[in-house]
PDB file of all heavy atoms in Angstrom:
ATOM      1  N   LYS A 139     114.353  95.522  75.241  1.00 91.00           N
ATOM      2  CA  LYS A 139     114.007  96.193  73.979  1.00 91.00           C
ATOM      3  C   LYS A 139     113.644  95.147  72.927  1.00 91.00           C
ATOM      4  O   LYS A 139     112.752  95.370  72.119  1.00 91.00           O
ATOM      5  CB  LYS A 139     115.182  97.033  73.473  1.00 91.00           C
ATOM      6  CG  LYS A 139     115.363  98.298  74.243  1.00 91.00           C
ATOM      7  CD  LYS A 139     114.432  99.339  73.751  1.00 91.00           C
ATOM      8  CE  LYS A 139     115.252 100.537  73.353  1.00 91.00           C
ATOM      9  NZ  LYS A 139     114.532 101.587  72.755  1.00 91.00           N
ATOM     10  N   ALA A 140     114.328  94.023  72.958  1.00 93.00           N
ATOM     11  CA  ALA A 140     114.017  92.947  72.009  1.00 93.00           C
ATOM     12  C   ALA A 140     112.593  92.431  72.244  1.00 93.00           C
ATOM     13  O   ALA A 140     111.858  92.164  71.284  1.00 93.00           O
ATOM     14  CB  ALA A 140     115.024  91.812  72.143  1.00 93.00           C
ATOM     15  N   ASP A 141     112.202  92.309  73.503  1.00 93.00           N
ATOM     16  CA  ASP A 141     110.833  91.899  73.825  1.00 93.00           C
ATOM     17  C   ASP A 141     109.837  92.923  73.285  1.00 93.00           C
ATOM     18  O   ASP A 141     108.796  92.556  72.741  1.00 93.00           O
ATOM     19  CB  ASP A 141     110.644  91.763  75.346  1.00 93.00           C
ATOM     20  CG  ASP A 141     111.474  90.647  75.945  1.00 93.00           C
ATOM     21  OD1 ASP A 141     111.732  89.647  75.258  1.00 93.00           O
ATOM     22  OD2 ASP A 141     111.878  90.796  77.116  1.00 93.00           O
ATOM     23  N   PHE A 142     110.172  94.197  73.464  1.00 90.00           N
ATOM     24  CA  PHE A 142     109.323  95.267  72.948  1.00 90.00           C
ATOM     25  C   PHE A 142     109.106  95.094  71.449  1.00 90.00           C
ATOM     26  O   PHE A 142     108.002  95.215  70.948  1.00 90.00           O
ATOM     27  CB  PHE A 142     109.983  96.623  73.229  1.00 90.00           C
ATOM     28  CG  PHE A 142     109.248  97.476  74.224  1.00 90.00           C
ATOM     29  CD1 PHE A 142     108.668  96.941  75.360  1.00 90.00           C
ATOM     30  CD2 PHE A 142     109.149  98.839  74.037  1.00 90.00           C
ATOM     31  CE1 PHE A 142     108.000  97.732  76.274  1.00 90.00           C
ATOM     32  CE2 PHE A 142     108.486  99.641  74.940  1.00 90.00           C
ATOM     33  CZ  PHE A 142     107.908  99.085  76.051  1.00 90.00           C
ATOM     34  N   TYR A 143     110.196  94.832  70.742  1.00 91.00           N
ATOM     35  CA  TYR A 143     110.130  94.662  69.288  1.00 91.00           C
ATOM     36  C   TYR A 143     109.278  93.442  68.930  1.00 91.00           C
ATOM     37  O   TYR A 143     108.400  93.518  68.061  1.00 91.00           O
ATOM     38  CB  TYR A 143     111.536  94.540  68.699  1.00 91.00           C
ATOM     39  CG  TYR A 143     111.531  94.337  67.215  1.00 91.00           C
ATOM     40  CD1 TYR A 143     111.307  95.413  66.357  1.00 91.00           C
ATOM     41  CD2 TYR A 143     111.730  93.079  66.657  1.00 91.00           C
ATOM     42  CE1 TYR A 143     111.276  95.240  64.984  1.00 91.00           C
ATOM     43  CE2 TYR A 143     111.700  92.891  65.292  1.00 91.00           C
ATOM     44  CZ  TYR A 143     111.479  93.976  64.454  1.00 91.00           C
ATOM     45  OH  TYR A 143     111.443  93.796  63.100  1.00 91.00           O
ATOM     46  N   MET A 144     109.520  92.334  69.596  1.00 91.00           N
ATOM     47  CA  MET A 144     108.794  91.088  69.308  1.00 91.00           C
ATOM     48  C   MET A 144     107.291  91.222  69.602  1.00 91.00           C
ATOM     49  O   MET A 144     106.479  90.603  68.925  1.00 91.00           O
ATOM     50  CB  MET A 144     109.375  89.918  70.118  1.00 91.00           C
ATOM     51  CG  MET A 144     110.817  89.591  69.762  1.00 91.00           C
ATOM     52  SD  MET A 144     111.060  89.159  68.033  1.00 91.00           S
ATOM     53  CE  MET A 144     110.223  87.608  67.958  1.00 91.00           C
ATOM     54  N   LEU A 145     106.944  92.028  70.577  1.00 92.00           N
ATOM     55  CA  LEU A 145     105.537  92.221  70.936  1.00 92.00           C
ATOM     56  C   LEU A 145     104.863  93.308  70.096  1.00 92.00           C
ATOM     57  O   LEU A 145     103.665  93.555  70.244  1.00 92.00           O
ATOM     58  CB  LEU A 145     105.411  92.555  72.425  1.00 92.00           C
ATOM     59  CG  LEU A 145     105.802  91.435  73.392  1.00 92.00           C
ATOM     60  CD1 LEU A 145     105.857  91.956  74.819  1.00 92.00           C
ATOM     61  CD2 LEU A 145     104.838  90.259  73.284  1.00 92.00           C
ATOM     62  N   GLY A 146     105.645  93.968  69.223  1.00 91.00           N
ATOM     63  CA  GLY A 146     105.080  94.989  68.350  1.00 91.00           C
ATOM     64  C   GLY A 146     104.979  96.363  68.990  1.00 91.00           C
ATOM     65  O   GLY A 146     104.247  97.231  68.513  1.00 91.00           O
ATOM     66  N   LEU A 147     105.745  96.581  70.071  1.00 90.00           N
ATOM     67  CA  LEU A 147     105.687  97.854  70.774  1.00 90.00           C
ATOM     68  C   LEU A 147     106.712  98.874  70.283  1.00 90.00           C
ATOM     69  O   LEU A 147     106.687 100.022  70.710  1.00 90.00           O
ATOM     70  CB  LEU A 147     105.863  97.627  72.279  1.00 90.00           C
ATOM     71  CG  LEU A 147     104.686  96.913  72.943  1.00 90.00           C
ATOM     72  CD1 LEU A 147     105.065  96.383  74.308  1.00 90.00           C
ATOM     73  CD2 LEU A 147     103.500  97.857  73.043  1.00 90.00           C
ATOM     74  N   CYS A 148     107.603  98.461  69.407  1.00 89.00           N
ATOM     75  CA  CYS A 148     108.538  99.415  68.804  1.00 89.00           C
ATOM     76  C   CYS A 148     109.032  98.855  67.466  1.00 89.00           C
ATOM     77  O   CYS A 148     109.000  97.654  67.232  1.00 89.00           O
ATOM     78  CB  CYS A 148     109.719  99.735  69.723  1.00 89.00           C
ATOM     79  SG  CYS A 148     110.889  98.403  69.962  1.00 89.00           S
ATOM     80  N   GLY A 149     109.419  99.776  66.605  1.00 87.00           N
ATOM     81  CA  GLY A 149     110.048  99.395  65.345  1.00 87.00           C
ATOM     82  C   GLY A 149     109.142  98.884  64.251  1.00 87.00           C
ATOM     83  O   GLY A 149     109.622  98.390  63.242  1.00 87.00           O
ATOM     84  N   GLY A 150     107.860  98.991  64.415  1.00 85.00           N
ATOM     85  CA  GLY A 150     106.968  98.476  63.389  1.00 85.00           C
ATOM     86  C   GLY A 150     105.746  99.351  63.191  1.00 85.00           C
ATOM     87  O   GLY A 150     105.511 100.309  63.934  1.00 85.00           O
ATOM     88  N   ARG A 151     104.981  99.012  62.197  1.00 90.00           N
ATOM     89  CA  ARG A 151     103.755  99.748  61.894  1.00 90.00           C
ATOM     90  C   ARG A 151     102.766  99.611  63.057  1.00 90.00           C
ATOM     91  O   ARG A 151     102.506  98.513  63.542  1.00 90.00           O
ATOM     92  CB  ARG A 151     103.140  99.184  60.627  1.00 90.00           C
ATOM     93  CG  ARG A 151     101.842  99.841  60.269  1.00 90.00           C
ATOM     94  CD  ARG A 151     101.289  99.272  58.997  1.00 90.00           C
ATOM     95  NE  ARG A 151     101.444 100.330  58.007  1.00 90.00           N
ATOM     96  CZ  ARG A 151     101.330 100.164  56.721  1.00 90.00           C
ATOM     97  NH1 ARG A 151     101.091  98.973  56.236  1.00 90.00           N
ATOM     98  NH2 ARG A 151     101.446 101.176  55.905  1.00 90.00           N
ATOM     99  N   GLY A 152     102.266 100.738  63.512  1.00 89.00           N
ATOM    100  CA  GLY A 152     101.280 100.748  64.594  1.00 89.00           C
ATOM    101  C   GLY A 152     101.868 100.589  65.985  1.00 89.00           C
ATOM    102  O   GLY A 152     101.117 100.491  66.961  1.00 89.00           O
ATOM    103  N   SER A 153     103.203 100.573  66.100  1.00 91.00           N
ATOM    104  CA  SER A 153     103.808 100.349  67.417  1.00 91.00           C
ATOM    105  C   SER A 153     103.530 101.506  68.378  1.00 91.00           C
ATOM    106  O   SER A 153     103.279 101.284  69.567  1.00 91.00           O
ATOM    107  CB  SER A 153     105.316 100.094  67.296  1.00 91.00           C
ATOM    108  OG  SER A 153     105.973 101.178  66.687  1.00 91.00           O
ATOM    109  N   LYS A 154     103.539 102.721  67.867  1.00 91.00           N
ATOM    110  CA  LYS A 154     103.269 103.876  68.734  1.00 91.00           C
ATOM    111  C   LYS A 154     101.852 103.797  69.294  1.00 91.00           C
ATOM    112  O   LYS A 154     101.638 104.008  70.490  1.00 91.00           O
ATOM    113  CB  LYS A 154     103.452 105.180  67.953  1.00 91.00           C
ATOM    114  CG  LYS A 154     103.169 106.401  68.787  1.00 91.00           C
ATOM    115  CD  LYS A 154     103.305 107.679  67.982  1.00 91.00           C
ATOM    116  CE  LYS A 154     102.961 108.874  68.849  1.00 91.00           C
ATOM    117  NZ  LYS A 154     102.695 110.071  68.102  1.00 91.00           N
ATOM    118  N   GLU A 155     100.902 103.480  68.448  1.00 92.00           N
ATOM    119  CA  GLU A 155      99.515 103.377  68.892  1.00 92.00           C
ATOM    120  C   GLU A 155      99.343 102.254  69.916  1.00 92.00           C
ATOM    121  O   GLU A 155      98.617 102.402  70.891  1.00 92.00           O
ATOM    122  CB  GLU A 155      98.576 103.151  67.701  1.00 92.00           C
ATOM    123  CG  GLU A 155      98.463 104.339  66.761  1.00 92.00           C
ATOM    124  CD  GLU A 155      99.651 104.496  65.795  1.00 92.00           C
ATOM    125  OE1 GLU A 155     100.473 103.556  65.659  1.00 92.00           O
ATOM    126  OE2 GLU A 155      99.761 105.577  65.199  1.00 92.00           O
ATOM    127  N   LEU A 156     100.043 101.145  69.694  1.00 93.00           N
ATOM    128  CA  LEU A 156      99.964 100.028  70.634  1.00 93.00           C
ATOM    129  C   LEU A 156     100.570 100.418  71.981  1.00 93.00           C
ATOM    130  O   LEU A 156     100.012 100.102  73.036  1.00 93.00           O
ATOM    131  CB  LEU A 156     100.652  98.786  70.065  1.00 93.00           C
ATOM    132  CG  LEU A 156     100.562  97.515  70.913  1.00 93.00           C
ATOM    133  CD1 LEU A 156      99.120  97.128  71.206  1.00 93.00           C
ATOM    134  CD2 LEU A 156     101.297  96.364  70.220  1.00 93.00           C
ATOM    135  N   ARG A 157     101.698 101.136  71.955  1.00 92.00           N
ATOM    136  CA  ARG A 157     102.308 101.610  73.210  1.00 92.00           C
ATOM    137  C   ARG A 157     101.337 102.516  73.964  1.00 92.00           C
ATOM    138  O   ARG A 157     101.204 102.422  75.185  1.00 92.00           O
ATOM    139  CB  ARG A 157     103.612 102.377  72.936  1.00 92.00           C
ATOM    140  CG  ARG A 157     104.799 101.530  72.646  1.00 92.00           C
ATOM    141  CD  ARG A 157     106.112 102.290  72.739  1.00 92.00           C
ATOM    142  NE  ARG A 157     106.143 103.547  72.030  1.00 92.00           N
ATOM    143  CZ  ARG A 157     106.491 103.699  70.753  1.00 92.00           C
ATOM    144  NH1 ARG A 157     106.831 102.639  70.038  1.00 92.00           N
ATOM    145  NH2 ARG A 157     106.509 104.899  70.203  1.00 92.00           N
ATOM    146  N   GLU A 158     100.649 103.403  73.234  1.00 91.00           N
ATOM    147  CA  GLU A 158      99.698 104.305  73.873  1.00 91.00           C
ATOM    148  C   GLU A 158      98.541 103.535  74.505  1.00 91.00           C
ATOM    149  O   GLU A 158      98.078 103.872  75.601  1.00 91.00           O
ATOM    150  CB  GLU A 158      99.179 105.329  72.867  1.00 91.00           C
ATOM    151  CG  GLU A 158     100.232 106.355  72.485  1.00 91.00           C
ATOM    152  CD  GLU A 158      99.798 107.295  71.370  1.00 91.00           C
ATOM    153  OE1 GLU A 158      98.704 107.098  70.771  1.00 91.00           O
ATOM    154  OE2 GLU A 158     100.559 108.238  71.082  1.00 91.00           O
ATOM    155  N   LYS A 159      98.082 102.486  73.833  1.00 93.00           N
ATOM    156  CA  LYS A 159      97.002 101.667  74.395  1.00 93.00           C
ATOM    157  C   LYS A 159      97.466 100.941  75.661  1.00 93.00           C
ATOM    158  O   LYS A 159      96.730 100.875  76.645  1.00 93.00           O
ATOM    159  CB  LYS A 159      96.513 100.643  73.370  1.00 93.00           C
ATOM    160  CG  LYS A 159      95.707 101.241  72.234  1.00 93.00           C
ATOM    161  CD  LYS A 159      95.314 100.142  71.254  1.00 93.00           C
ATOM    162  CE  LYS A 159      94.571 100.695  70.052  1.00 93.00           C
ATOM    163  NZ  LYS A 159      94.266  99.640  69.066  1.00 93.00           N
ATOM    164  N   VAL A 160      98.676 100.399  75.620  1.00 92.00           N
ATOM    165  CA  VAL A 160      99.228  99.709  76.788  1.00 92.00           C
ATOM    166  C   VAL A 160      99.349 100.688  77.946  1.00 92.00           C
ATOM    167  O   VAL A 160      98.956 100.390  79.077  1.00 92.00           O
ATOM    168  CB  VAL A 160     100.596  99.059  76.459  1.00 92.00           C
ATOM    169  CG1 VAL A 160     101.319  98.618  77.720  1.00 92.00           C
ATOM    170  CG2 VAL A 160     100.413  97.873  75.516  1.00 92.00           C
ATOM    171  N   ALA A 161      99.882 101.872  77.669  1.00 90.00           N
ATOM    172  CA  ALA A 161     100.027 102.898  78.710  1.00 90.00           C
ATOM    173  C   ALA A 161      98.668 103.242  79.309  1.00 90.00           C
ATOM    174  O   ALA A 161      98.524 103.340  80.533  1.00 90.00           O
ATOM    175  CB  ALA A 161     100.693 104.142  78.133  1.00 90.00           C
ATOM    176  N   GLY A 162      97.665 103.421  78.459  1.00 89.00           N
ATOM    177  CA  GLY A 162      96.328 103.734  78.936  1.00 89.00           C
ATOM    178  C   GLY A 162      95.761 102.654  79.828  1.00 89.00           C
ATOM    179  O   GLY A 162      95.131 102.938  80.852  1.00 89.00           O
ATOM    180  N   GLU A 163      95.964 101.406  79.448  1.00 90.00           N
ATOM    181  CA  GLU A 163      95.472 100.276  80.256  1.00 90.00           C
ATOM    182  C   GLU A 163      96.118 100.239  81.637  1.00 90.00           C
ATOM    183  O   GLU A 163      95.490  99.821  82.602  1.00 90.00           O
ATOM    184  CB  GLU A 163      95.745  98.947  79.541  1.00 90.00           C
ATOM    185  CG  GLU A 163      94.861  98.681  78.349  1.00 90.00           C
ATOM    186  CD  GLU A 163      93.439  98.312  78.735  1.00 90.00           C
ATOM    187  OE1 GLU A 163      93.246  97.542  79.701  1.00 90.00           O
ATOM    188  OE2 GLU A 163      92.503  98.800  78.066  1.00 90.00           O
ATOM    189  N   LEU A 164      97.380 100.691  81.709  1.00 89.00           N
ATOM    190  CA  LEU A 164      98.107 100.623  82.973  1.00 89.00           C
ATOM    191  C   LEU A 164      98.057 101.928  83.770  1.00 89.00           C
ATOM    192  O   LEU A 164      98.633 102.018  84.847  1.00 89.00           O
ATOM    193  CB  LEU A 164      99.566 100.226  82.707  1.00 89.00           C
ATOM    194  CG  LEU A 164      99.725  98.829  82.119  1.00 89.00           C
ATOM    195  CD1 LEU A 164     101.169  98.560  81.754  1.00 89.00           C
ATOM    196  CD2 LEU A 164      99.219  97.773  83.082  1.00 89.00           C
ATOM    197  N   GLY A 165      97.402 102.947  83.210  1.00 87.00           N
ATOM    198  CA  GLY A 165      97.252 104.204  83.932  1.00 87.00           C
ATOM    199  C   GLY A 165      98.514 105.040  84.003  1.00 87.00           C
ATOM    200  O   GLY A 165      98.755 105.732  84.986  1.00 87.00           O
ATOM    201  N   VAL A 166      99.335 104.968  82.955  1.00 87.00           N
ATOM    202  CA  VAL A 166     100.516 105.821  82.869  1.00 87.00           C
ATOM    203  C   VAL A 166     100.376 106.713  81.637  1.00 87.00           C
ATOM    204  O   VAL A 166      99.585 106.415  80.743  1.00 87.00           O
ATOM    205  CB  VAL A 166     101.833 104.998  82.825  1.00 87.00           C
ATOM    206  CG1 VAL A 166     102.012 104.215  84.112  1.00 87.00           C
ATOM    207  CG2 VAL A 166     101.888 104.076  81.627  1.00 87.00           C
ATOM    208  N   PRO A 167     101.110 107.820  81.584  1.00 88.00           N
ATOM    209  CA  PRO A 167     100.955 108.744  80.451  1.00 88.00           C
ATOM    210  C   PRO A 167     101.205 108.083  79.096  1.00 88.00           C
ATOM    211  O   PRO A 167     102.165 107.330  78.925  1.00 88.00           O
ATOM    212  CB  PRO A 167     102.012 109.827  80.718  1.00 88.00           C
ATOM    213  CG  PRO A 167     102.273 109.746  82.180  1.00 88.00           C
ATOM    214  CD  PRO A 167     102.079 108.314  82.558  1.00 88.00           C
ATOM    215  N   ALA A 168     100.366 108.390  78.142  1.00 86.00           N
ATOM    216  CA  ALA A 168     100.487 107.814  76.798  1.00 86.00           C
ATOM    217  C   ALA A 168     101.669 108.382  76.036  1.00 86.00           C
ATOM    218  O   ALA A 168     102.164 107.758  75.102  1.00 86.00           O
ATOM    219  CB  ALA A 168      99.198 108.055  76.011  1.00 86.00           C
TER     220      ALA A 168
END
Side-chain angles (χ1 to χ4, degrees):
K139 285 278 236 175
D141 295 329
F142 248 40
Y143 179 78
M144 296 301 291
L145 293 171
L147 291 164
C148 70
R151 178 179 251 166
S153 59
K154 179 182 178 197
E155 292 78 13
L156 184 57
R157 282 195 311 272
E158 289 174 353
K159 288 178 183 176
V160 167
E163 287 287 319
L164 296 174
V166 297

